[in-house]
Amino acid sequence: MAIEVVPLAHALGAEIRGVDIAGVVSDADIDAIRKAWHQAHVIVFRDVAWTPEQHCTFSRQFRELDDHSATPHDQLEGFPELLEVTNKPKNGQPSQTRNAGRNWHSDYSYTNRPAAASMLYCTEKPPVGGDTMFCNMARAYDDLSDKMKGIVADLQSVYDFNLVSGTAKRNPAKMAELLKLNPPIAHPCVRTHDESGTKALYVSERTSHFDGMTRSESAPLIEYLCAHATRPENVYRHQWCVGDLVCWDNRTTMHLALGDFDQNHPRHMLRTTLQGKKSGYVVAPAEV
Ligand code: SIN
């Protein structure tokens, strides 16, 4: 049966049908999925029932996997290539990821190996809410005027782990360790996708400033670019079902995990992170 690609929104997002990703997936099907992914930026598979090993095996067919050493406390025990995004207690303690992803971002932008892509699998969800929103950063770049494209082409976005949402509620000792592991790092504000050649904006609510500019000089432009990228017509909102695997391209999208649900209900997800190319340089903190 041929793979079917069903669009989910105008700006981005497609559901992929007609392939059992828990089984052996042929090279031809992987190529077809990759092509659809490059076009839609976010792809969704439904009714996936698999083990952590199968999740990793499928993910590895696209790219080498990150071992999540930038956030070691969030690894699934025994599976460093799987990150737990959960509001369920971990080792008797509140989970460090219970409020993860609550601002617009691209995964691991605060490291020197920003994630190429991520594959998030839902095992438990609240009865309502807990949605994830995605926006198209390639479209956001294309929609800028030529003058603004010229301005952003010269900028380096600095990412600061202090701006990672949920960090305020992290255990202070773990937070200090994470800040040491992840000092502020600058990446180009416009990035060219290493597989498709697509240009996209690379700035987010985790960008503290542009290198060489103060925070107050940078803030209006960061705010404008984020508002421009996250206009409702540039967004796909995913309402989760257990068994969904949602895969996003971090080189051409940002995402936001909404906290619009009752935390008394479990929301449990497992994520593989497809490693990106090394990028960026460490910077000193900027003037206010
Ligand atoms: C993430 O930012 O990787 C988590 C997204 C989510 O929990 O919806």
Side-chain angles (χ1 to χ4, degrees):
M1 187 171 150
I3 282 181
E4 199 187 344
V5 181
V6 182
L8 292 169
H10 178 63
L12 75 168
E15 184 175 326
I16 310 283
R17 298 183 188 158
V19 58
D20 173 16
I21 60 170
V24 176
V25 185
S26 69
D27 290 346
D29 280 351
I30 292 291
D31 284 348
I33 294 167
R34 196 192 302 275
K35 193 166 157 227
W37 197 358
H38 287 162
Q39 280 168 2
H41 308 288
V42 174
I43 52 171
V44 176
F45 299 87
R46 305 277 190 189
D47 302 317
V48 179
W50 64 11
T51 60
E53 287 89 347
Q54 286 169 309
H55 186 163
C56 292
T57 302
F58 177 67
S59 308
R60 244 183 244 119
Q61 283 182 275
F62 292 88
R63 220 164 160 115
E64 198 178 323
L65 300 188
D66 200 287
D67 63 1
H68 302 117
S69 52
T71 50
H73 312 291
D74 306 336
Q75 293 161 336
L76 177 69
E77 205 174 331
F79 292 91
E81 291 171 331
L82 279 170
L83 186 85
E84 259 183 316
V85 181
T86 185
N87 64 352
K88 291 163 72 163
K90 228 180 145 172
N91 306 320
Q93 301 291 322
S95 157
Q96 299 292 305
T97 55
R98 66 194 184 284
N99 291 305
R102 296 279 192 269
N103 56 4
W104 283 102
H105 68 282
S106 170
D107 291 328
Y108 277 178
S109 49
Y110 53 84
T111 74
N112 67 354
R113 49 167 207 281
S118 303
M119 295 184 162
L120 190 66
Y121 177 57
C122 176
T123 64
E124 284 176 87
K125 66 165 290 276
V128 286
D131 301 351
T132 308
M133 304 215 309
F134 297 90
C135 73
N136 183 339
M137 297 300 271
R139 204 163 176 262
Y141 173 76
D142 287 343
D143 286 349
L144 294 175
S145 64
D146 287 345
K147 197 83 182 171
M148 184 59 100
K149 281 184 181 145
I151 293 170
V152 291
D154 280 341
L155 298 176
Q156 301 286 328
S157 308
V158 178
Y159 289 89
D160 182 344
F161 193 82
N162 281 300
L163 298 179
V164 175
S165 74
T167 50
K169 293 178 189 121
R170 278 183 189 259
N171 161 321
K174 285 184 179 161
M175 184 64 189
E177 186 190 329
L178 290 168
L179 282 168
K180 207 164 163 198
L181 268 176
N182 302 293
I185 190 153
H187 297 289
C189 183
V190 180
R191 300 186 70 191
T192 304
H193 195 289
D194 57 317
E195 293 173 60
S196 68
T198 303
K199 275 187 164 186
L201 276 177
Y202 198 65
V203 60
S204 79
E205 291 179 351
R206 296 179 179 181
T207 305
S208 56
H209 63 284
F210 296 113
D211 194 23
M213 291 169 68
T214 65
R215 285 181 180 237
S216 39
E217 284 170 341
S218 311
L221 187 51
I222 295 171
E223 212 169 286
Y224 167 74
L225 293 171
C226 289
H228 165 76
T230 60
R231 285 165 300 146
E233 60 269 32
N234 199 36
V235 165
Y236 164 64
R237 178 172 179 154
H238 188 74
Q239 293 187 298
W240 291 94
C241 292
V242 169
D244 284 353
L245 177 78
V246 177
C247 312
W248 59 87
D249 194 323
N250 285 293
R251 296 157 290 188
T252 53
T253 64
M254 287 198 288
H255 59 284
L256 168 71
L258 293 171
D260 63 335
F261 66 101
D262 180 350
Q263 289 278 1
N264 292 310
H265 292 284
R267 181 181 189 273
H268 190 263
M269 311 269 180
L270 291 173
R271 188 183 95 192
T272 49
T273 307
L274 281 56
Q275 220 174 75
K277 292 223 152 104
K278 283 222 163 181
S279 156
Y281 55 92
V282 172
V283 295
E287 276 175 50
V288 178

